[in-house]
Amino acid sequence: MHVSAETQKGVFLTRVVTNDPVCRDHWRFVLEVRDFPLTEPGQFVQVLCREPNDDATPGDGAYIRRPFSIAGLSRDNRVTRIEIIHRLVGRGTHWLSHLNPGDSVSILGPLGHPFTLAEDRPTAYIVGGGCGLPPLIWLARALRASGKTVIAFCGARSADLLPLTRHRQAQVLTDQPTLAVTEFADCGVPVLISTDDGSLGFAGSAAQAFARYLHAHLEEDSSAVVYSCGPDAMMHATADLAEQYNIPCQVCLERMMACGMGTCQSCVVRIRDASDPKGWVYRLCCTDGPVFDSRVVIWEN
Ligand SMILES: Cc1cc2nc3c(=O)[nH]c(=O)nc-3n(C[C@H](O)[C@H](O)[C@H](O)COP(=O)(O)OP(=O)(O)OC[C@H]3O[C@@H](n4cnc5c(N)ncnc54)[C@H](O)[C@@H]3O)c2cc1C
Ligand code: FES
């Protein structure tokens, strides 16, 4: 383990505890690691998707580390358990899906700026879709632990692509959040599930489900805060809606990343800045984000 004293991030050798499929194309694995630094929801780790000691060639895995949000984190004295939920996309994620309990995995982290738990706002709305759902699971637990009322809107393309566990006893409704998702129900958070093809819950995106809910329940909710992660179009729609209702909104952006720590400049996002003649500046998703105030993001979708 090599820890940078300044940022408290480092490279850690972890051990796989479990690795199981969650839905048709998502897997969840849990890593155990000693002395992992203070970490908050919204931060991510860079996972080496190949043998930790294989410096020369990636073999079946990927050469460059891959970024993944932390979906859950628990501590027992010096031992930390980190949960990651990922979609099977390419070389690196396929290598991860073949991990067995006891295997070693190298991670670099914790990286990035976390969500801010708005102290003065007792109600939190979570709006997420697909691969954007993992960081929101851990965020929901933290928000509940800080005493907030939380309602989640979780979307996927279809029922079999929802990377969450269905609570068999709870009903899924199209217009009301229910305790139908184990990961959220465990901390008392009702969820309104949506699918693009209408195969489960509300037919449409999580942002559309959230819009319908807000229209039905609120004129303007100055006591709430919105947190969103998922496809840019969904986050953009959520951010516009939050602005319309005058609710502050934090978005967790996902950009192609190489280094994950501010060196390669591959993850730029355009951020509004009135002090710049252009009215905007480039910021790095990996070190300035991935969480940003939605009002400063210039959406490219
Ligand atoms: C901060 C951050 C957090 C993330 N958290 C999660 C998470 O919790 N769960 C999860 O499933 N994924 C997450 N991702 C995306 C994840 O990093 C990529 O899916 C992964 O790197 C793909 O690796 P691969 O080797 O399997 O695919 P590759 O072989 O590298 O790529 C396969 C295909 O996917 C595309 N692709 C790869 N990465 C991305 C990306 N970031 N955005 C869009 N297209 C991409 C490539 O262009 C290529 O077409 C996150 C990304 C970032 C930046
Ligand atoms: S990923 Fe290298 S600077 Fe952000």
Side-chain angles (χ1 to χ4, degrees):
M1 190 243 323
H2 322 279
V3 176
S4 139
E6 187 194 337
T7 59
Q8 285 299 303
K9 61 177 171 280
V11 172
F12 294 81
L13 193 62
T14 71
R15 192 180 59 82
V16 176
V17 181
T18 57
N19 188 25
D20 301 295
V22 192
C23 67
R24 182 149 65 86
D25 70 353
H26 282 81
W27 284 67
R28 179 203 323 256
F29 62 93
V30 175
L31 301 173
E32 204 167 70
V33 54
R34 283 177 79 81
D35 300 329
F36 197 69
L38 181 69
T39 310
E40 294 174 58
Q43 290 190 287
F44 64 99
V45 288
Q46 284 271 61
V47 179
L48 190 65
C49 302
R50 60 180 162 95
E51 295 291 330
N53 298 322
D54 178 10
D55 287 339
T57 62
D60 292 336
Y63 193 74
I64 299 174
R65 289 175 184 272
R66 301 295 197 249
F68 295 97
S69 302
I70 298 173
L73 185 146
S74 60
R75 294 185 190 270
D76 185 2
N77 292 318
R78 292 177 59 184
V79 176
T80 301
R81 283 193 170 196
I82 295 173
E83 185 182 329
I84 289 173
I85 300 173
H86 69 90
R87 183 170 165 226
L88 292 184
V89 171
R91 217 181 157 108
T93 47
H94 275 93
W95 186 86
L96 290 174
S97 70
H98 289 98
L99 286 169
N100 291 306
D103 286 349
S104 296
V105 175
S106 166
I107 62 171
L108 163 65
L111 300 169
H113 275 291
F115 289 108
T116 303
L117 305 192
E119 302 280 328
D120 53 335
R121 296 184 176 262
T123 304
Y125 297 114
I126 282 176
V127 186
C131 299
L133 288 168
L136 300 175
I137 297 171
W138 188 25
L139 174 69
R141 290 176 194 151
L143 289 166
R144 289 292 295 143
S146 73
K148 292 192 195 302
T149 299
V150 183
I151 300 174
F153 299 82
C154 299
R157 276 180 288 144
S158 59
D160 60 347
L161 293 175
L162 187 71
L164 298 168
T165 316
R166 289 271 304 283
H167 199 298
R168 291 293 158 197
Q169 269 94 42
Q171 254 190 310
V172 174
L173 301 177
T174 56
D175 57 352
Q176 282 298 324
T178 64
L179 295 174
V181 174
T182 306
E183 289 84 352
F184 288 95
D186 284 350
C187 59
V189 174
V191 174
L192 205 160
I193 296 174
S194 61
T195 49
D196 294 348
D197 66 358
S199 51
L200 185 69
F202 174 85
S205 73
Q208 288 168 332
F210 179 47
R212 199 173 73 161
Y213 182 87
L214 275 188
H215 292 322
H217 291 84
L218 299 168
E219 282 304 313
E220 179 178 307
D221 191 349
S222 57
S223 67
V225 55
V226 177
Y227 299 95
S228 185
C229 187
D232 269 19
M234 189 220 72
M235 282 193 286
H236 189 176
T238 302
D240 284 351
L241 194 65
E243 194 163 342
Q244 183 188 330
Y245 282 87
N246 198 25
I247 308 175
C249 175
Q250 297 172 37
V251 289
C252 185
L253 301 183
E254 200 184 283
R255 291 292 177 272
M256 297 292 271
M257 289 184 185
C259 71
M261 42 197 304
T263 309
C264 71
Q265 311 282 301
S266 68
C267 63
V268 289
V269 286
R270 289 198 301 147
I271 295 296
R272 287 180 218 289
D273 185 341
S275 68
D276 189 278
K278 300 189 297 299
W280 58 268
V281 292
Y282 282 121
R283 291 277 178 251
L284 296 175
C285 188
C286 64
T287 48
D288 298 311
V291 177
F292 292 93
D293 180 330
S294 67
R295 285 166 299 192
V296 300
V297 174
I298 298 180
W299 299 97
E300 313 286 357
N301 62 298

